[in-house]
Amino acid sequence: MIAAVLAGGRSRRFGGDKLLVRIDGKPLILHTIERLELARGIDRIVIISSRENVDRIRALGYDVLVDTLMIGPIGGIYTALSLGHVFVVAGDMPLIVPEFIDFIIDRFRRAKKPACVPRWANGYLEPLHAAYSQDFLPLLREKIEARNYAINRAVRESDACYVEIEELPEEWRESFFNVNTRGDVGKLRGRNV
């Protein structure tokens, strides 16, 4: 299983490139990657970057693919799926839980569905903490060609398997924490992320 770390966003709410902001001595994105490396089910890590950021991201020492579409997460996932089945995570999620990643990957392999996505009881999906099969590519291509870039809609229209979040250990929920503001960075500092 390839882990694809999405790093193509423009960080508008943050007001700068949040993925390279240093937290406890290293860039935010490296905290996310180091936790991915602890997951048993991950064999390789690739970063999906914007063209503007590719040199700075490549300097981190990981394989980088350029998202030439730049249409949001759907384009990053589409780019990543060119490599095979992928576990997709946003680069700004430094608290991801390796055991939770392995749980989703195991569920994905057993279900043999195009996607395996965490879902809250209110129906809200977590598509940037999910596993995707190459079988998901035709639907994504169709959505992109129709200029419908909502990844949640694509997931809902596929025969996805869902992981019901409320049925899982509560401590796994910190996996979904993502950095949007400078205040979020402050919450992480000194927290041993």
Side-chain angles (χ1 to χ4, degrees), residues 53-66:
N53 243 1
V54 71
D55 292 332
R56 287 183 292 184
I57 296 294
R58 198 169 273 137
L60 299 173
Y62 291 86
D63 291 335
V64 178
L65 275 183
V66 175

Side-chain angles (χ1 to χ4, degrees), residues 9-31:
R10 290 182 169 64
S11 305
R12 283 185 204 99
R13 283 182 281 181
F14 192 81
D17 191 346
K18 65 183 173 183
L19 296 181
L20 298 176
V21 167
R22 296 184 90 69
I23 298 173
D24 295 339
K26 60 187 158 212
L28 170 63
I29 192 172
L30 282 184
H31 290 278

Side-chain angles (χ1 to χ4, degrees), residues 71 78 138-149:
I71 52 174
Y78 183 83
L139 178 60
L140 284 187
R141 186 176 303 113
E142 178 184 308
K143 293 295 178 193
I144 290 167
E145 288 171 357
R147 296 181 186 269
N148 183 343
Y149 305 140

Side-chain angles (χ1 to χ4, degrees), residues 110-141:
R110 282 196 319 268
K112 296 183 179 13
K113 302 276 187 175
C116 192
V117 181
R119 177 173 63 185
W120 294 92
N122 65 4
Y124 183 84
L125 302 179
E126 296 284 355
L128 302 186
H129 193 292
Y132 297 91
S133 161
Q134 280 195 305
D135 296 340
F136 197 53
L137 265 175
L139 178 60
L140 284 187
R141 186 176 303 113

